Amino acid sequence: MTETDFDTISVKRLTGAMGAEISGVNLASDLPVQQFEEIRKALFTFGAIGFRDQNLSFEDHYNFAKRFGSLEVHPIVNGMEDFPEIIKMHKPAGVAASFGVGWHTDNSFFKKPSLGSIVYAEIIPPQGGDTLFSNQQLAFETLSNGMKDTLRVLTAIHSANDAYTSPTAMEKYDGDGPITYKHSDIIAEKVEHPVIIKHPVTGKEALYVNQMFISHFKGWTKEESAPLIDYLCAHAVREDFQCRFRWEKGSVAMWDNRMVQHAALNDYAQYERLLYRITVNGDAL
Ligand code: SIN
């Protein structure tokens, strides 16, 4: 599938590896079925898609997201009072960014990890605060046949424990900062996922490891697992698998967690950044 295979939207690829910007769409409107289906197709083809110059109310954001499936109320990160499905990702000027920083796929510590997130940008620093994405289907394809076969029979244990008990995370519990967390039993849970997953729509295989939430391989000790996990996590984010999304006020980005990892950059400490995120529930992998 290429940029020209779309009739109702314009698609421009971001890099040779992945990502696309879509134009000719007003996400605040009631999108015709064919146009919505082409957006969905673009997401599953390019892994991350971006839109410019949108003007979304919370209802518009919610209504667009709802077309992809049921919406998540995050078990740890508090949503907005009137829209519990919307997480206000606010970083005031003068503090370091601490949410979504570091490579990860959202919520791989869920039994059914999230399908993807839709993020709307309200306040963007004059420079910095980009989001990086890396194509995990390419990461899989570029491994040797021997490594692919080894990984196909491996299962990994994922957990939220380290990420949500780190010193920066601890500040968010019961605090009154811009992002707040609540205590949840899910933090102690350990869930199993295959190391190589098949995309539920396209059937394409992808590497499914991420340094934020993977703990160890099933049946292996943490010490035995660490060298292979380190190798795979480094391979997964090679520069030639990536694209970079530069936010503007009114930009919207959506990504498919079964196909990509992402990382928010922390390079704009002196500036404010405010984005709103809605996450669509996914299926067992
Ligand atoms: C995230 O949802 O992981 C963070 C995305 C961002 O702030 O760029």
Side-chain angles (χ1 to χ4, degrees):
M1 166 128 328
T2 68
E3 290 167 311
T4 52
D5 292 329
F6 297 88
D7 297 324
T8 61
I9 55 176
S10 295
V11 176
K12 191 167 183 303
R13 293 200 60 153
L14 287 177
T15 65
M18 64 162 299
E21 273 197 30
I22 294 177
S23 53
V25 179
N26 174 9
L27 298 179
S29 66
D30 187 15
L31 300 177
V33 172
Q34 192 191 352
Q35 197 173 43
F36 176 74
E37 283 308 319
E38 290 210 322
I39 291 171
R40 226 173 136 258
K41 206 160 61 172
L43 175 70
F44 299 149
T45 304
F46 302 111
I49 51 176
F51 305 82
R52 301 291 180 193
D53 303 320
Q54 300 295 316
N55 187 4
L56 299 187
S57 64
F58 295 131
E59 285 87 355
D60 296 332
H61 192 173
Y62 180 95
N63 289 338
F64 175 61
K66 196 87 187 68
R67 292 185 72 168
F68 287 89
S70 67
L71 303 182
E72 169 189 307
V73 175
H74 199 285
I76 306 168
V77 185
N78 286 314
M80 294 173 60
E81 210 163 293
D82 292 346
F83 288 91
E85 299 87 354
I86 302 183
I87 293 176
K88 184 175 174 184
M89 300 193 294
H90 187 208
K91 189 208 76 73
V95 301
S98 65
F99 187 77
V101 173
W103 285 103
H104 62 288
T105 50
D106 289 323
N107 305 327
S108 69
F109 56 90
F110 288 0
K111 288 192 179 83
K112 295 181 176 179
S114 315
L115 180 156
S117 291
I118 302 169
V119 173
Y120 174 59
E122 183 76 42
I123 300 173
I124 292 302
Q127 66 271 330
D130 299 348
T131 305
L132 305 179
F133 296 94
S134 185
N135 183 339
Q136 301 305 285
Q137 292 173 350
L138 263 184
F140 170 75
E141 281 165 28
T142 48
L143 293 168
S144 66
N145 288 337
M147 180 62 96
K148 285 178 183 161
D149 288 344
T150 302
L151 298 181
R152 278 191 182 108
V153 295
L154 276 187
T155 298
I157 311 299
H158 295 246
S159 161
N161 189 63
D162 290 350
Y164 283 98
T165 57
S166 70
T168 49
M170 292 313 286
E171 290 167 5
K172 300 186 178 83
Y173 290 95
D174 310 318
D176 57 0
I179 296 183
T180 59
Y181 291 173
K182 54 184 168 271
H183 295 280
S184 164
D185 290 345
I186 201 168
I187 293 173
E189 281 179 20
K190 294 183 183 347
V191 307
E192 298 181 7
H193 298 301
V195 172
I196 303 302
I197 58 167
K198 275 205 177 127
H199 194 279
V201 177
T202 64
K204 283 195 176 175
E205 289 180 293
L207 185 58
Y208 195 73
V209 297
N210 73 92
Q211 63 183 19
M212 201 176 274
F213 301 126
I214 195 167
S215 165
H216 59 282
F217 298 121
K218 186 177 178 184
W220 296 30
T221 65
K222 284 195 176 183
E223 290 71 24
E224 288 166 345
S225 305
L228 183 53
I229 288 177
D230 288 349
Y231 169 75
L232 293 173
C233 288
H235 171 77
V237 298
R238 241 171 58 177
E239 289 88 341
D240 54 334
F241 304 155
Q242 292 184 26
C243 75
R244 177 181 192 123
F245 192 67
R246 306 201 93 143
W247 296 96
E248 295 165 5
K249 179 176 164 52
S251 297
V252 172
M254 178 168 191
W255 58 87
D256 180 343
N257 284 305
R258 293 85 48 91
M259 189 175 162
V260 305
Q261 291 199 49
H262 63 281
L265 291 182
N266 176 24
D267 58 352
Y268 58 100
Q270 67 274 43
Y271 299 115
E272 184 181 14
R273 183 176 183 264
L274 171 62
L275 304 98
Y276 294 96
R277 177 176 116 175
I278 300 186
T279 299
V280 182
N281 287 318
D283 303 306
L285 298 171

